Amino acid sequence: MTTLPPTELTRLDALAAIHHAFPSEPIVIALGTMVREMLLVAGRQPNHLHVLDAMGLVPAITLGVAMSPHGAAHARVVGIEGDGGLLMGLSSIATIGAARPENLVLIVLDNGAYAATGGQRTASPHLDLAGMARACGFQTHDIRTAAGLAVAMLDAKVRPGPWLLRISIGPKNQAAPYFLPDPVELAIDFRRYLQVPIERRADDESPAT
Amino acid sequence: MPPLTTALGIDSREVVARRADEVTRAIDHIRPTHVLWIPSSTLKSVIDSIEVRAREGTWISMPITREEEGIGIASGLTLGGARPLLVIQDNGIGNCLTALTTFPQPYHLPIVMLVSQRGGLNEYNSMIHTLGERVEDILDAADIRTFLLDERVPVERWATSIVGAWEHAEMTHRPVAVLLNLLY
């Protein structure tokens, strides 16, 4: 077995690339460091749903959004999950694989640890997460470099999914404040965002002539 | 004398079938966009009907792997403008309590679960009672509204009660469970 070099990427790098690649696509973001560091990178975005708890549920929630009438209108619906969360809700990749939503992109930020609770190890270093997803019918990329990240984002945007992008990230967490909103507001904002027809949103954003 | 209906004695299939028909009638009336299910032997005819309707294009029918996964998928569907229905067993409630109380409940999403109640009188599987008989109390402690249908509710009222529970979830913006005891 070959030993891979350490990943070039941090969680902030990965989140910045995701925000850049999917600026208006619905994104479901898992709890803890992912939610908090995405807020550092992008601030509150109307296309972001912050899942403040419910560990392991992001793949399932993303599948629901991707299959919903308003979600299906989007070319891509993105879920951001950690390796611990993916392993907790692992059976969802079977259900996603069976449903085969072409617009679903599940991005796994894999640091091999439970970051929010002190960095305790997960089983991920012993597993082939992308291989498991491929066995369930996903398209996948295993990413460890900035160049690989750019290629994978583009590929997931242009070729039909479902996609699982496993991004290896380093162990470092960025200091970030707690995010303690009323979750009802988060749900209402995201639901409202999904309701707005995509054509109208594009018109709103086009420069005045 | 009418026949006795007990778990170990006289056949209760007719009673189960009549109640299951009412559950099917209610789902047909509600016409959810998606039905997510884990089967139960008492709801076999209901699941069969859900699958037939799906093949006819009435809704999308999906088997799920675990109950909490169903809560997650149903929540995402609801956020995106769908109206999903979950069909599960009472002994799976333990699997989804955390998902229920940490996502659709605090985010105010109206998720409706039809839960076949197996624990209690006339159930033959001794493993089911410990959790199943307490499911109403467990959901109550978790602040999840439940409506119980068993022999104390005339079978003619089953379909309207299920439709009422569906509307209740919509009006209260909260998850709602309907416990369906087809055996008692």
Side-chain angles (χ1 to χ4, degrees), chain A residues 113-178:
Chain A
Y114 295 101
T117 52
Q120 301 87 349
R121 67 198 169 95
T122 72
S124 157
H126 307 284
L127 307 172
D128 179 2
L129 297 179
M132 288 195 270
R134 275 195 302 280
C136 291
F138 281 73
Q139 306 289 319
T140 67
H141 278 289
D142 256 310
I143 302 141
R144 312 177 66 81
T145 63
L149 190 54
V151 169
M153 292 292 159
L154 186 63
D155 205 11
K157 283 191 79 146
V158 297
R159 287 204 297 128
W163 280 97
L164 185 135
L165 309 180
R166 172 176 172 260
I167 307 177
S168 295
I169 57 170
K172 188 167 173 287
N173 302 325
Q174 193 67 38
Y178 285 119

Side-chain angles (χ1 to χ4, degrees), chain A residues 57 61 191, chain B residues 34 36 67-79 82-88 96 99-100 103-115 144-145 147 165-166 168-178:
Chain A
L57 222 58
I61 296 168
R191 196 196 295 240
Chain B
H34 300 72
L36 314 172
E67 291 79 2
E68 67 264 53
E69 175 189 286
I71 299 295
I73 297 170
S75 298
L77 284 165
T78 302
L79 286 163
R83 283 308 314 273
L85 177 71
L86 271 165
V87 182
I88 59 174
C96 64
L100 271 170
F103 198 63
Q105 195 178 44
Y107 283 69
H108 290 194
L109 304 176
I111 306 297
V112 178
M113 301 172 286
L114 300 186
V115 184
I144 307 284
R145 185 73 174 93
F147 299 96
W166 177 267
H168 189 80
E170 204 159 63
M171 286 185 287
T172 58
H173 310 279
R174 300 292 192 285
V176 164
V178 188

Side-chain angles (χ1 to χ4, degrees), chain A residues 49-54 57 60-61 63-65 67-71 91-92 95 183-184 186-187 190-191 194, chain B residues 34 62-66 68-69 71-73 75-82 99 102-103 106-110:
Chain A
L49 174 67
H50 305 93
V51 178
L52 301 178
D53 199 347
L57 222 58
I61 296 168
L63 173 61
V65 175
M67 292 194 307
S68 70
H70 299 143
S91 66
S92 290
T95 302
V184 177
L186 303 179
F190 189 66
R191 196 196 295 240
L194 290 173
Chain B
H34 300 72
M62 281 177 68
I64 51 176
T65 60
R66 293 176 62 81
E68 67 264 53
E69 175 189 286
I71 299 295
I73 297 170
S75 298
L77 284 165
T78 302
L79 286 163
T102 58
F103 198 63
Y107 283 69
H108 290 194
L109 304 176

